[in-house]
Amino acid sequence: MNKNDNKIKCDVETCKHNESKKCSLNEVKISCNCGCNECNCVDDTICESFEEKEID
């Protein structure tokens, strides 16, 4: 697979980067949301690239 063909699937409909269930960003930062930087499970992680869509 070509590196440029990678896509990040996203079902967070309130994020302005979500375009038809795919993230439009070239890079996404994922971090620990538990505040201790010792993530042990999926529930401990969060997308730091999230930006809320503006409602017209």
Side-chain angles (χ1 to χ4, degrees), residues 19-35:
E19 296 179 3
S20 301
K21 303 239 179 230
K22 291 182 184 172
C23 183
S24 63
L25 296 173
N26 291 329
E27 182 177 276
V28 176
K29 183 174 182 182
I30 306 299
S31 292
C32 195
N33 73 353
C34 60

Side-chain angles (χ1 to χ4, degrees), residues 15-49:
C15 183
K16 77 175 192 176
H17 303 296
N18 181 347
E19 296 179 3
S20 301
K21 303 239 179 230
K22 291 182 184 172
C23 183
S24 63
L25 296 173
N26 291 329
E27 182 177 276
V28 176
K29 183 174 182 182
I30 306 299
S31 292
C32 195
N33 73 353
C34 60
C36 63
N37 293 325
E38 294 182 16
C39 298
N40 295 315
C41 66
V42 69
D43 291 336
D44 290 343
T45 62
I46 190 168
C47 177
E48 280 197 0
S49 302

Side-chain angles (χ1 to χ4, degrees), residues 1-10 19 21-26 28:
M1 177 186 292
N2 184 327
K3 183 177 179 180
N4 294 331
D5 292 336
N6 292 340
K7 298 288 181 204
I8 298 172
K9 297 177 184 175
C10 179
E19 296 179 3
K21 303 239 179 230
K22 291 182 184 172
C23 183
S24 63
L25 296 173
N26 291 329
V28 176

